[in-house]
Structures are given as structure tokens and as C-alpha cells.
Amino acid sequence: MEHGRCTYEGAQRGWGLEFGTLFEDVFRDPLYRRARRFSRGRSALSEFRRMNIFLILRFFMRHLAGQDVIELGVWRGGNVFFMAAVLKELYPSARIVGLDTFEGMPETKLGLDLHRGGDFSDASLQGVQDAARRFGLDNVEFIKGDVRQTLDQIDPSRQFGLAHIDLDIYEPIAYAQRALLERLVPGGYLTYDDAVTSSCPGATQAVEELIASGMRSEQIFPHFVFRAQPAR
Ligand SMILES: C[S@@+](CC[C@H](N)C(=O)[O-])C[C@H]1O[C@@H](n2cnc3c(N)ncnc32)[C@H](O)[C@@H]1O
């Protein structure tokens, strides 16, 4: 790793999905197919991005000191359930925590964000908790509230192998991304669903600021991936 990233590993996933046969290979993977069922009708993630998360979980995260996962921006829980199903088979002691208002977006930044307060309000904490029980995914927990408050409620000693940001708007991402990097195990992964999505310029700006502060990305297709600096 150099500058906190491994460009070779990023290219293995990104190039493989964009130009190679990885899309077809992952689509045929029985674990991917089993886990994907839990996201049906509940997730806005593109197939490419779900696949990249799958590749990180299946082939790259196993080398890390911890495999717990956190997602910021859960909506109806589809991607949390997908990741929980993968974790359950690969790392049975790992847990996943999902944070959302479950009342939709808070106020957004006029002139930057394209989303408006209240978008994605068709979700509820009770709804995702009931679904997790129905799916038998007992490795999942949800925290309701604005991430700018709830992130700090998580025990500071708790560290994650993967943090996935899917908040879509500037302010909470700018707040959360630095805090999340400090909560990753050495070499842990920070991924963004939204920063290369044309409807989320606020997410793009938050990532631009992270890069301007000295971070280098490991991968840009199908989404941004950063790594926590390994200890020297
Ligand atoms: C695109 S949706 C998440 C999609 C989900 N990850 C999936 O599997 O498709 C974005 C979510 O971010 C949440 N959100 C945005 N800003 C937030 C904030 N400051 N605190 C908590 N949740 C927030 C919204 O409530 C919404 O559910």
C-alpha cells in the first residue's frame, strides 16, 4: 500500500468489472445470488456497486483485523440486508449497523444538493427491524436519527472493516466521512454509493474535499473507495 491505498487491488475490482468478466462471474456466484435476494425491492444500489461491495467483503476484507460493517443511509434496508447475508456466511461473528433518520432526508443545501428534505421518507425503523427478523438476519442492528448525532453514540472502541456512505447530500457526508475513517481498522474500506451519481453533487463535493485534504482513492469505478492508513 502507498498513500493509504493499493492501486493494484482497486484495479483488480474496478477494471475487472468495467472491462473484464467480473460482472458475469459475480452474477453467477451462488453466495452473491443468495444474498442479493434480500435487497430486492429495498435498495437503490446499482448492480455494479453492489458487486464491488461483494468483492471487497468476499476477497479483500478477510485480510483485515475486523469485519464489522457500518452503513450510513439505509432507507428500506436493502443493502444492509445484502451485506448482512454475505457476512453471516463468511464471517459469522461480524455485525452490521445501519444508521438513518428513517424519516427521509433532513434539510439539504440549496444550490448544491438536488435532493430535498423528506426525500426517502417511505421507510421506518419498525419496518427494517421486522424485515431483519423475517429474513433471519440476527447480525443486524439499526440506529434511528441524524447521523451527525447518532454516529457519536456508537462505542468509540468499536472498529469497522467497511463503512458504506449512502446519504446523498453534502452536510452529513462532510461530517461523517472523517469520523468514519478514524473508526476503520487499519487498511479498512470507505465506500460511497452516491459521489459519482449525477443527482448527488453534494456527495461529490464532500469527496472532492476529502481528496483535497490529501486522501487518495483506491478505486473510482463503479464508486469511490478509500482505505484507512495502515499503522506504520
Ligand atoms: C439513497 S437512500 C439510501 C439507500 C440504501 N442504502 C439502499 O440500500 O438503497 C439515502 C438515505 O439517507 C438518509 N439520510 C440522509 N441524510 C441523513 C442524515 N443526516 N442522517 C440520517 N440519515 C440520512 C435518508 O433518510 C435516506 O434513507
Side-chain angles (χ1 to χ4, degrees), residues 51-167:
M51 285 184 173
N52 199 56
I53 288 175
F54 178 75
L55 291 169
I56 292 172
L57 296 177
R58 188 149 171 49
F59 297 109
F60 296 86
M61 213 168 72
R62 63 183 164 169
H63 306 295
L64 301 182
Q67 284 80 28
D68 280 3
V69 170
I70 182 168
E71 180 173 88
L72 270 53
V74 164
W75 184 42
R76 302 188 65 230
N79 192 49
V80 166
F81 297 143
F82 167 75
M83 295 190 287
V86 175
L87 289 186
K88 216 169 153 61
E89 293 200 32
L90 296 182
Y91 318 106
S93 61
R95 294 192 60 78
I96 174 160
V97 54
L99 278 57
D100 204 297
T101 62
F102 297 108
E103 293 174 356
M105 306 252 170
E107 197 187 328
T108 62
K109 208 170 162 62
L110 203 62
L112 177 58
D113 296 313
L114 297 181
H115 282 290
R116 289 289 159 262
D119 286 1
F120 291 96
S121 58
D122 54 342
S124 73
L125 177 61
Q126 192 64 52
V128 291
Q129 286 173 334
D130 288 349
R133 254 191 306 278
R134 248 188 352 265
F135 295 156
L137 295 169
D138 53 6
N139 54 349
V140 172
E141 86 196 72
F142 294 105
I143 302 178
K144 177 178 163 75
D146 191 307
V147 298
R148 286 165 287 187
Q149 278 99 48
T150 52
L151 192 51
D152 291 341
Q153 290 165 16
I154 298 173
D155 181 350
S157 67
R158 194 157 170 204
Q159 291 207 301
F160 300 94
L162 169 69
H164 182 233
I165 298 184
D166 194 1
L167 295 164

